[in-house]
């Protein structure tokens, strides 16, 4: 019965992969049509989908070849001269097919439609006074280092610097392949336990910073009525250096219907700051819609690894013990310096695996 069940699953996966290959072939043709190429928005949309599906189509092709080889080996069992060799080959192919089926199931799991997007990251000082601000600044540096490790581009929109080198609130954008698909797991409350540099008695303090990761959207996806905006300019401020400005180059945009406020003061040009602020505002408006959809979806699920809830404590950084613990999956690493220097892949990979495992279990119910 188990073998029959496995066979049926492989047949089901084959049908899904064939449909995927069909869609990829359709896209390959459509992106060459003159009427599609002349429609910039449609062309970009189809090219993005084509690029996202290219790897999946290759996996589907390899899976189909593996099934064909398995079927040929089974046919050879009836030949007395080839039976022994065919049995050995069949056993090897069945093992490879078992692993390939698992990988195909993972690939065919429902995808977050925003995974391909770039990201806007907001880091805010939480409880803990100056120490919370200093920790927030370290988180910003951690994400910049992580972006550098993965070949992504990170830009500060507003560093919200304090006089002692911390932050009140900082905003940065990160651009590259698969940015949001990995960084979305960073949303939530990050807690630090250590002796603050501002503490003379040597006592360990607990402070927090909140991180929000928003998918960045394209202009055509979010329409904003200019009459709904109040735009103020002011002189950039901060800890000095590039943040001291003699002109009113900083920009604050208020979206009146929602009350959302974004600022940008990292660029010397008012025009550049305005463009950056608008990018962040559009991402925030999109996130509001996304959060509503996600809440409706998650109400049907028992739990989620990457809820992105800003009030959820997701991770603790304990400096005296050199320990980083992600509370969602119970993962503890004793290499805090590496993590703070942007070595986040082990944590993020574990979070992705946990969510995939959960989705697989739910698909079997």
């Amino acid at each position: 019965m188990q073998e029959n069940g496995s066979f049926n699953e492989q047949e089901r996966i084959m049908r899904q992969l064939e449909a995927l290959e069909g869609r990829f072939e359709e896209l390959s043709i459509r992106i060459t049509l003159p009427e599609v190429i002349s429609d910039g928005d449609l062309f970009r949309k189809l090219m993005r989908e084509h690029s996202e599906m290219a790897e999946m189509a290759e996996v589907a092709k390899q899976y189909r070849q593996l099934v064909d080889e398995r079927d040929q080996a089974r046919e050879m069992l009836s030949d007395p001269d080839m039976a022994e060799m065919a049995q050995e080959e069949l056993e090897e192919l069945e093992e490879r097919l078992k692993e390939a089926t698992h990988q195909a199931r993972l690939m065919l799991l429902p995808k977050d439609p925003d995974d391909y997007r770039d990201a806007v990251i907001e880091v805010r000082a939480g409880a803990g006074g100056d120490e919370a601000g200093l920790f927030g600044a370290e988180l910003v540096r951690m994400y910049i280092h992580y972006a550098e490790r993965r070949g992504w581009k990170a830009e500060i929109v507003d560093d919200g610097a304090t006089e002692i080198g911390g932050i009140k609130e900082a905003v940065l954008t990160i651009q590259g392949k698969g940015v949001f698909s990995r960084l979305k797991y960073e949303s939530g409350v990050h807690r630090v336990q250590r002796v603050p540099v501002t503490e003379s008695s040597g006592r360990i303090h607990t402070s927090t910073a909140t991180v929000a990761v928003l998918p960045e959207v394209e202009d055509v996806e979010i329409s904003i009525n200019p009459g709904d905006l109040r735009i103020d300019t002011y002189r950039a401020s901060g800890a000095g250096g590039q943040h001291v400005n003699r002109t009113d180059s900083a920009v604050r945009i208020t979206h009146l219907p929602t009350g959302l406020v974004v600022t940008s003061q990292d660029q010397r040009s008012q025009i550049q700051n305005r463009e950056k602020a608008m990018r962040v505002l559009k991402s925030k408006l999109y996130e509001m819609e996304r959060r509503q959809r996600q809440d409706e979806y998650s109400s049907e699920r028992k739990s989620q690894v990457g809820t992105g809830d800003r009030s959820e404590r997701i991770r603790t950084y304990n400096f005296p013990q050199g320990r980083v613990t992600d509370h969602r999956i119970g993962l503890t690493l004793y290499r805090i310096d590496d993590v703070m220097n942007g070595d986040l892949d082990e944590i993020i990979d574990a979070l992705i695996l946990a969510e995939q495992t959960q989705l697989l279990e739910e698909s079997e119910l």
Side-chain angles (χ1 to χ4, degrees), residues 130-278:
D130 289 339
E131 170 64 6
L134 291 170
F135 176 55
E138 290 181 56
L139 290 179
V140 171
R141 287 191 289 273
M142 179 181 77
Y143 293 129
I144 291 174
H145 289 320
Y146 182 57
E148 292 171 348
R149 285 172 177 265
R150 296 195 66 88
W152 297 339
K153 178 183 178 182
E155 283 186 297
I156 297 289
V157 176
D158 186 3
D159 66 4
T162 64
E163 293 297 329
I164 63 171
I167 61 157
K168 293 179 180 177
E169 176 182 356
V171 180
L172 63 153
T173 60
I174 299 184
Q175 299 172 314
K177 185 177 181 180
V179 169
F180 187 74
S181 69
R182 298 187 68 79
L183 287 178
K184 63 183 179 182
Y185 298 98
E186 294 300 299
S187 287
V189 176
H190 295 243
R191 181 175 69 170
V192 62
Q193 295 173 326
R194 64 183 177 187
V195 178
V197 294
T198 55
E199 176 63 51
S200 59
S201 63
R203 294 180 301 155
I204 296 175
H205 282 220
T206 298
S207 303
T208 62
T210 61
V211 175
V213 182
L214 319 177
E216 187 169 1
V217 295
E218 298 174 5
D219 288 343
V220 295
E221 296 176 280
I222 290 289
S223 178
I224 299 177
N225 183 350
D228 289 339
L229 302 179
R230 185 177 72 237
I231 302 177
D232 302 307
T233 58
Y234 58 99
R235 189 161 300 177
S237 62
Q242 64 174 321
H243 304 287
V244 174
N245 204 306
R246 297 179 183 273
T247 61
D248 291 344
S249 63
V251 173
R252 179 189 299 109
I253 301 178
T254 303
H255 186 247
L256 299 175
T258 61
L260 289 174
V261 179
V262 296
T263 61
S264 178
Q265 62 173 348
D266 197 66
Q267 302 298 310
R268 292 193 178 277
S269 162
Q270 186 182 120
I271 294 176
Q272 289 176 314
N273 279 325
R274 178 168 174 161
E275 289 176 351
K276 281 194 172 186
M278 284 297 294

